[in-house]
Structures are given as C-alpha cells and as structure tokens.
Amino acid sequence: MSAVETPPARLPHTTTPPTAVRHTSLSDLIALSRPYQWPKNPLVVTLALLTIPVWDVGTLVAIAWSTGLFVLASVAVYVLNDILDRHRDGLHPVKRHRPLASGRLGVGTALVYLAAVCALFAAGVALATPASCWPVLVYLGLNLAYSLRLKHVPLLDAFCVALGFVLRTLQGYTTTGQPASGWLLLSVFALCLLFVFGKRRAELARGHAAHRPALRGYTVAYLDHLTVISATLATVAYLLCVRTDVALYQGTATLVLLTAPCAFFAVFRYLQLRSSERAAAIRSAHSPATVC
C-alpha cells in the first residue's frame, strides 16, 4: 500500500438544472389550466351563430372576443377549484396526479398564476362595457358559489354546470346584440344535464362518493331516470329550435331538419354506451373471478 493515496473521485453534483425546474413549473401551470377543456368554449359560444341570419366581420370578432373571455374565466375557475380541492383530489385515483394534489406545484405559485389570469380577464372586460359581458361575469359568480358550496349539494351541482354552458351561448348572443333563441338555450341546458348526470352515474358506480359528497344524494336508478328525462328534453328542444329559430335560407329548411335524426342518433348512442357500461359492470360484479 502506497504512502500517498489518491483521493477518491468526487461524484458530480446531481441537483436539477434551473432550466429543468422552470420547464416543470411551466408544464404544471399548463396542466393546471386544463387546455383540453378549452375547445368547449368556442364550440358553445359559436352556437349563437346558428340563429343569426347575417354574419359580418364585427359579428365574428365579437364571437372571438367572447370565446377568449370564457377561456380566461374557465381557467380561473379550474385553478380555484384545484386550490380548494387539492386535499380531496389527493385521495382520488386519477385526480391525485394533478399538479397541486401531487405537490409538484405550490399553492403560492397557483395563487400568483390565478391573479395573472384574473388580470388578463379584467383587461378583456375593460375593452367593452359590462352590459356586453354580463353572462361571463355571472358565470364567474356562479362558479365561485359552486366551488365554495353548491358542488356539494345534489342536483344543484349538476344545474350549476349546465347553466355554465347556457351562459356561454348567451354571451355569444349578448356580444353580437342579437336576440337569444329560447329553444337553443333549453337544448344546450338539457344536453349538458344529460352529460353531467351520466358522469355522476359513472362516478357513483365506481364508488367515488367519498371524493364527491354530492353523490350521496344520488342513486344509480335515480340517475338513470334523470338521464332519460334530460335526453328527451334535449331532443325535443333541438327539434323545435331547428324548426322555428335556426336562420334558414330559401330551400334549406328540409336540409336543416334532416340534422334532427343525426342529433337523435347521437343522444341514443350516448345512452346506449352508458347502458353498456352498466351491463358490463354488473357482469363483472357477478363473475366467478370476483366472487369471494
């Protein structure tokens, strides 16, 4: 053994580079904003164009402005919900991977981001008058009440979500100065109720009542009745909308009415898929492999 020993090589420092930290924070902020939910804003806001006979550049700009406002408003709602529900989301098998529930993103960072989004929203509102953007302001107030209390109240939780989509369509009408179609608004409301009740039923069947307290006020059979009622109301309201309120041009009335069977098929297909999920769950529950 030599008298002078060579010191062991020093291991490299393994801290995460600052650029990687910034990239992770940015990706978490994007995930917090739920961009996969944004397409429903232009989809629903532009429904107002169905009953507006003449489109011009001003109308399209107003629709785009309304869509942008609702994107910012919905992002603010998502961030607020994730802040308030981060502990409950941590118990959910899927939602526990969200940035706040998993701890990847701090509450302070989320609050700063929420303030920035609200500032952009306020700037967008300042470009017009409050009278032209009252639906999106009501949407924010409704979702504040939803986040704090109403999402835990059976039926009211579903009605609040559906009303949010009605307010999107109303914003499209309000910003263009056109009268709203009552049948179109009713069709949007009933269709959204159908989807919300279908989602609640799936959650209840999977045993997620502990994560969503409002589910304690539902049963699977009750939700089955609500989905059928909502589907009936949605299809009838849509038929009356295309018959009386859709802006028709000469010779196109029959063509527009032919969209009704397509709408009916889509609703019936949705009910079929929900029914198939229920049947599969029943078969799985009674299969020999799952019986103790």
Side-chain angles (χ1 to χ4, degrees):
M1 184 174 179
S2 61
V4 179
E5 295 182 353
T6 304
R10 182 173 297 177
L11 294 176
H13 195 54
T14 57
T15 56
T16 307
T19 54
V21 174
R22 286 196 294 269
H23 175 73
T24 302
S25 298
L26 178 60
S27 63
D28 287 334
L29 288 176
I30 293 174
L32 193 65
S33 304
R34 303 184 199 175
Y36 60 90
Q37 296 280 7
W38 295 358
K40 65 187 178 186
N41 293 296
L43 178 64
V44 182
V45 172
T46 55
L47 286 177
L49 296 175
L50 291 176
T51 59
I52 297 177
V54 179
W55 302 352
D56 54 20
V57 175
T59 299
L60 297 179
V61 169
I63 290 292
W65 174 79
S66 297
T67 302
L69 278 185
F70 258 101
V71 168
L72 291 173
S74 60
V75 169
V77 169
Y78 297 146
V79 176
L80 178 62
N81 271 326
D82 280 5
I83 292 174
L84 296 177
D85 291 347
R86 62 188 185 279
H87 300 302
R88 186 180 292 109
D89 288 345
L91 304 176
H92 192 274
V94 177
K95 296 181 180 180
R96 63 187 179 90
H97 298 294
R98 289 178 175 177
L100 284 170
S102 64
R104 297 194 312 271
L105 194 68
V107 176
T109 304
L111 288 173
V112 172
Y113 180 62
L114 176 60
V117 172
C118 290
L120 286 175
F121 174 81
V125 172
L127 295 176
T129 60
S132 63
C133 55
W134 67 264
V136 69
L137 296 176
V138 173
Y139 170 84
L140 283 176
L142 177 66
N143 277 275
L144 180 60
Y146 176 84
S147 298
L148 296 176
R149 173 58 184 164
L150 296 183
K151 65 182 177 183
H152 302 311
V153 182
L155 289 181
L156 285 183
D157 66 321
F159 273 62
C160 286
V161 175
L163 283 174
F165 286 90
V166 174
L167 289 169
R168 285 174 170 87
T169 307
L170 267 177
Q171 180 62 56
Y173 280 114
T174 302
T175 193
T176 57
Q178 298 294 326
S181 165
W183 290 120
L184 178 60
L185 296 179
L186 180 59
S187 180
V188 170
F189 180 72
L191 186 63
C192 291
L193 281 181
L194 171 63
F195 293 149
V196 174
F197 288 141
K199 181 180 178 181
R200 295 291 184 269
R201 189 199 176 285
E203 291 174 336
L204 188 62
R206 296 185 186 122
H208 292 168
H211 175 263
R212 192 183 295 276
L215 291 177
R216 298 168 187 167
Y218 297 110
T219 64
V220 172
Y222 179 48
L223 288 169
D224 284 339
H225 291 309
L226 292 179
T227 54
V228 171
I229 294 172
S230 300
T232 303
L233 184 59
T235 51
V236 172
Y238 177 79
L239 180 60
L240 291 173
C241 175
V242 298
R243 182 67 182 87
T244 61
D245 292 340
V246 171
L248 301 177
Y249 297 95
Q250 187 175 3
T252 62
T254 302
L255 182 62
V256 172
L257 284 175
L258 287 177
T259 64
C262 299
F264 296 165
F265 178 83
V267 172
F268 297 161
R269 176 60 175 164
Y270 176 80
L271 293 175
Q272 182 188 36
L273 292 175
R274 286 300 182 189
S275 179
S276 300
E277 290 177 359
R278 180 186 180 187
I282 293 176
R283 288 194 300 267
S284 176
H286 291 86
S287 64
T290 59
V291 176
C292 295

